[in-house]
Amino acid sequence: MKSTLITTVVSAALGLSVSAASADNFNLRIGSGHPPGVVYAGLMQSYFQPELIKRVAERTDHTITFVEGYSGSIVKVTEVLEGVQDGIIDIGGMCFCFEASNLPLHAFQVMLPFGTMDPTVSLKTAQDVYKKVPYLQNVFEEKFNQKLLARIADGGYNLGTSFAWDKLADLKGQKIAGAGLNLNWLAYGGVTPVQSSLATAYTEMKTHVYEGWIMFPSAWVNLKLYEPGPFYTLIGFGSMTWHGLTINMETYNSLPEDVQAILLEVAADFEEQTGSVNKDRYAKDVATLRDTITVTEIDPSVREDWGKSLAEWPQKMAAELDAQGLPASEVLKLTMEAAESNGYTWPVRYNIK
């Protein structure tokens, strides 16, 4: 009888433990160095978070809550990868442009400028390449203690400036800002590149640290860059899928399997949203800019000339990264082929050996 009573108590205790574990609340720290005015960060806040909260509540006994850290309030734009790796934040949204030493190949679409301006095509192209090159996904877990949840497409890049221009020669000697590898688009075109970030863009444009930015129209609208930069030129550098959403591996492994499955599902939907929302927003933001400042569509010959000035750079990047043991030539070739398979025709088709 005593043995039975002990067994009953232990069983009850175990039952309570399982019950408590099956109804946990998971409090996740999420953040980005970028403000929610940047489309992907806004979608993290307005789509990813509420959708994960809702689906977990509807389909499990668990709940999710978030502590937000956008606009660099926990980690700056250059600190997100390390912040997720060290568990300072659980989930982070980042631009690979700020990880040139850790993730030099992940900005591969930037190495092929004047690609598609359609974010949905850019995203599909990146998805095709990631499927064929497992390194691009696996390196996050193998080297940086985090899991890549979603690739993030940007709106198409153009050039906003404080002055009017209509040919490449007009930009010679002008200081124009960019981030990471896209500074090469400027340098090879004979323009003076300045490394910067959106967090300081308005002030630096206003105080003439530089006179323009390689930037998608949503940022020109949402961050009011049209005030110091009243000229926006549709040159079509391309839509780049070179951001990512990651989760710390300890955090991920601490989640029950049903929550993990929902997390991956929501992240996949979020990934698609970055393409479709950016595509929709692009047209709306360009229309807003047309009503506010001077918007010019560049002559296709200028775009082609600029592309030709960059003709040797993709091969140079491929050779440098191949020498580091990275599959760069393979990735760049696959990217051009995947873009074409998704209906894109390159104005200048780069030669990768």
Side-chain angles (χ1 to χ4, degrees):
M1 184 173 177
K2 189 173 184 181
S3 174
T4 302
L5 178 60
I6 291 171
T7 301
T8 302
V9 170
V10 170
S11 297
L14 288 173
L16 285 171
S17 175
V18 170
S19 175
S22 66
D24 282 339
N25 176 67
F26 296 95
N27 192 36
L28 304 176
R29 291 156 298 178
I30 188 169
S32 170
H34 286 119
V38 177
V39 173
Y40 88 86
L43 283 172
M44 287 171 63
Q45 189 179 58
S46 67
Y47 181 84
F48 177 81
Q49 290 177 220
E51 200 63 28
L52 184 60
I53 290 169
K54 182 182 78 170
R55 294 189 204 182
V56 167
E58 289 175 347
R59 290 157 49 184
T60 76
D61 294 325
H62 308 295
T63 55
I64 300 285
T65 54
F66 284 102
V67 174
E68 295 183 353
Y70 293 101
S71 305
S73 59
I74 299 178
V75 285
K76 297 182 175 65
V77 290
T78 56
E79 300 170 344
V80 181
L81 183 75
E82 185 178 354
V84 176
Q85 182 177 9
D86 294 341
I88 295 170
I89 55 174
D90 298 296
I91 298 174
M94 73 190 81
C95 181
F96 303 142
C97 56
F98 298 113
E99 295 298 339
S101 58
N102 289 316
L103 299 170
L105 185 53
H106 285 69
F108 57 87
Q109 285 188 336
V110 182
M111 300 172 201
L112 300 167
F114 299 104
T116 179
M117 286 290 284
D118 184 334
T120 63
V121 175
S122 170
L123 179 59
K124 182 65 170 64
T125 297
Q127 290 168 337
D128 291 347
V129 175
Y130 272 70
K131 284 177 187 175
K132 293 178 179 177
V133 186
Y135 160 83
L136 294 169
Q137 178 90 25
N138 296 344
V139 69
F140 289 92
E141 296 180 39
E142 293 171 358
K143 288 191 68 175
F144 301 109
N145 190 38
Q146 56 202 286
K147 185 178 187 67
L148 181 64
L149 294 174
R151 291 146 295 208
I152 295 171
D154 274 336
Y157 282 88
N158 294 301
L159 183 58
T161 54
S162 62
F163 59 93
W165 68 281
D166 59 16
K167 56 185 182 299
L168 188 53
D170 296 335
L171 298 173
K172 304 286 185 181
Q174 294 285 357
K175 291 185 290 185
I176 305 294
L181 280 179
N182 66 21
L183 294 171
N184 290 277
W185 304 347
L186 300 167
Y188 275 79
V191 188
T192 303
V194 181
Q195 170 71 37
S196 189
S197 79
L198 284 175
T200 57
Y202 185 93
T203 300
E204 290 175 346
M205 281 281 290
K206 196 80 172 176
T207 56
H208 302 287
V209 173
Y210 40 77
E211 300 301 328
W213 248 100
I214 295 173
M215 190 48 59
F216 32 84
S218 61
W220 220 253
V221 171
N222 294 340
L223 303 181
K224 297 186 176 180
L225 294 174
Y226 56 80
E227 292 180 354
F231 298 92
Y232 194 77
T233 304
L234 305 178
I235 186 168
F237 288 115
S239 166
M240 308 294 163
T241 299
W242 68 327
H243 286 66
L245 186 74
T246 67
I247 184 170
N248 174 274
M249 284 306 301
E250 279 80 23
T251 300
Y252 180 77
N253 290 331
S254 73
L255 300 174
E257 289 185 5
D258 53 354
V259 175
Q260 288 179 350
I262 294 170
L263 171 68
L264 297 179
E265 174 188 284
V266 173
D269 291 344
F270 165 80
E271 177 172 294
E272 296 300 325
Q273 286 278 312
T274 69
S276 59
V277 170
N278 267 305
K279 182 176 182 176
D280 181 57
R281 284 287 301 276
Y282 181 90
K284 292 178 179 176
D285 288 329
V286 169
T288 298
L289 290 174
R290 287 189 190 278
D291 291 338
T292 310
I293 59 173
T294 301
V295 176
T296 305
E297 187 130 17
I298 206 72
D299 189 286
S301 64
V302 177
R303 190 170 184 260
E304 186 175 349
D305 287 345
W306 200 327
K308 287 178 179 176
S309 76
L310 287 156
E312 296 179 3
W313 179 59
Q315 175 58 54
K316 181 175 182 289
M317 288 300 307
E320 288 178 3
L321 295 178
D322 285 346
Q324 296 176 32
L326 298 171
S329 292
E330 177 190 9
V331 164
L332 294 189
K333 288 177 186 176
L334 286 172
T335 302
M336 287 191 289
E337 292 167 3
E340 290 164 342
S341 296
N342 286 294
Y344 184 66
T345 301
W346 295 87
V348 176
R349 201 184 193 286
Y350 304 103
N351 181 34
I352 308 296
K353 297 175 183 177

